[in-house]
């Protein structure tokens, strides 16, 4: 099991590195594919992955990627239309679908589709080819440091999976990684104000939010009594099992940099 998890983890890192380095069209379609697979996994839990509400969700995510960047003024319009269509399906087919299924169909569009798209949007920012790596540093760095700090110093339970000491260690560790990364590449981040400090602060903010993402995805699984969302990635589960924290860190890094660091 460990060998399988290690090998698939290495493959994941290689694929992620390829997508982030290439950026542009490759990352655009890669992000869309990951969003749709993750959405399928979420809908599968609710048993609507092949239903009319599910189709509306998939179509809305594809439409969002199409309008993203150049037609952002239509995002609210897309959300309203998607909700109207879902509610129409709910009323016309009643009682085929429960309110929870319709709610999750709408929720998934934002939770998986729109939030994960910020991986691509960070890559497209000024100096994005350097800033995009902060998403991985904050999510995976926080996971690693939180685990180590929890094992070494953890005494006070914050949740069943996380101690207060582990949470603090994860945030501090991610902040240090971000600071070191930003300092090392400061001459390449010409559009970022004080790259070391901004990168460290952005990673700290994203690390806090990444723990919410991880715990939220786990809570959904516990509510529906499942171990993994899928078995797509050997030893890791599905897209939502592996990228649950990145769904939260991608928009967190984007907005942290936008508000604090772009000249």
């Amino acid at each position: 099991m460990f060998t399988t998890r290690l090998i698939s983890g290495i493959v994941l890192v290689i694929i992620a590195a390829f997508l982030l380095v290439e950026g542009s069209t490759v990352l655009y379609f890669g992000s869309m594919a990951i969003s749709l697979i993750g959405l399928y996994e979420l809908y599968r839990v609710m048993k609507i992955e092949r239903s009319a509400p599910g189709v509306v969700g998939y179509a809305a995510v594809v439409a969002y990627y199409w309008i993203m960047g150049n037609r952002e003024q239509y995002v609210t319009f897309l959300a309203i239309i998607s909700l109207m269509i879902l509610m129409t399906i709910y009323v016309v087919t009643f009682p085929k679908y429960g309110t929870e299924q319709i709610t999750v169909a709408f929720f998934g569009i934002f939770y998986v589709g729109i939030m994960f798209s910020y991986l691509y949007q960070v890559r497209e920012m000024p100096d994005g080819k350097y800033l995009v790596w902060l998403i991985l540093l904050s999510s995976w760095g926080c996971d690693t440091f939180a685990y180590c700090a929890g094992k070494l110093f953890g005494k006070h339970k914050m949740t069943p999976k996380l101690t207060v000491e582990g949470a603090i260690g994860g945030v501090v560790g991610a902040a240090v990684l971000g600071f070191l990364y930003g300092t090392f590449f400061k001459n390449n981040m010409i559009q970022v104000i004080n790259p070391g400090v901004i990168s460290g602060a952005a990673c700290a903010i994203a690390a806090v939010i990444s723990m919410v993402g991880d715990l939220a995805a786990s809570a959904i699984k516990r509510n529906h009594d499942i171990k993994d969302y899928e078995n797509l990635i050997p030893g890791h589960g599905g897209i939502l099992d592996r990228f649950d924290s990145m769904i939260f860190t991608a928009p967190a890094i984007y907005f942290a940099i936008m508000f604090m660091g772009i000249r």
Side-chain angles (χ1 to χ4, degrees):
M1 180 64 180
F2 173 77
T3 303
T4 301
R5 185 177 176 86
L6 178 63
I7 293 173
S8 59
I10 293 172
V11 172
L12 271 178
V13 170
I14 293 172
I15 293 173
F18 171 74
L19 290 174
L20 296 184
V21 169
E22 286 294 316
S24 193
T25 304
V26 174
L27 181 58
Y28 175 85
F29 284 106
S31 298
M32 185 192 298
I34 292 171
S35 293
L36 289 171
I37 295 170
L39 190 60
Y40 172 85
E41 292 176 356
L42 179 66
Y43 286 173
R44 180 172 167 269
V45 172
M46 297 304 300
K47 299 179 173 56
I48 58 170
E49 75 276 17
R50 300 179 189 276
S51 68
V55 171
V56 173
Y58 304 137
V61 169
V62 172
Y64 171 76
Y65 270 87
W66 180 61
I67 67 176
M68 181 177 63
N70 297 324
R71 305 176 183 87
E72 290 183 352
Q73 68 270 27
Y74 294 119
V75 173
T76 302
F77 174 72
L78 173 64
I80 292 171
I81 289 296
S82 300
L83 182 57
M84 286 180 173
I85 294 173
L86 287 169
M87 293 307 293
T88 300
I89 292 171
Y90 175 60
V91 171
V92 171
T93 63
F94 185 84
K96 184 175 181 179
Y97 302 109
T99 52
E100 187 179 14
Q101 292 173 306
I102 298 298
T103 301
V104 169
F106 185 67
F107 160 75
I109 296 168
F110 289 84
Y111 173 51
V112 185
I114 292 178
M115 289 179 69
F116 191 80
S117 76
Y118 280 90
L119 179 70
Y120 170 76
Q121 295 192 59
V122 171
R123 181 62 174 79
E124 292 299 297
M125 294 175 73
D127 298 328
K129 64 181 178 179
Y130 297 99
L131 294 173
V132 73
W133 295 97
L134 297 178
I135 297 172
L136 273 64
L137 287 177
S138 58
S139 57
W140 293 352
C142 179
D143 283 348
T144 302
F145 281 101
Y147 176 80
C148 294
K151 283 291 185 183
L152 292 173
F153 310 110
K155 292 181 180 178
H156 303 90
K157 283 284 186 182
M158 194 165 130
T159 72
K161 288 180 59 179
L162 185 66
T163 62
V164 173
E165 293 81 4
I168 294 172
V171 173
V172 172
V176 171
L177 283 178
F179 174 77
L180 293 175
Y181 177 84
T183 301
F184 185 79
F185 288 107
K186 64 181 180 180
N187 293 329
N188 302 98
M189 297 185 191
I190 57 176
Q191 296 297 321
V192 180
I193 304 167
N194 201 338
V197 173
I198 294 300
S199 296
C203 280
I205 293 168
V208 174
I209 297 174
S210 79
M211 289 185 280
V212 177
D214 184 24
L215 295 171
S218 297
I220 293 172
K221 289 190 288 186
R222 286 198 304 273
N223 278 348
H224 296 277
D225 197 27
I226 59 172
K227 182 179 181 295
D228 294 316
Y229 283 99
E230 255 292 355
N231 55 7
L232 179 67
I233 309 168
H236 292 270
I239 290 294
L240 290 183
D241 296 294
R242 183 64 274 175
F243 294 96
D244 49 6
S245 59
M246 284 181 60
I247 289 173
F248 278 63
T249 58
I253 291 294
Y254 179 88
F255 289 110
I257 296 296
M258 282 291 292
F259 291 139
M260 295 191 302
I262 295 295
R263 296 182 189 277

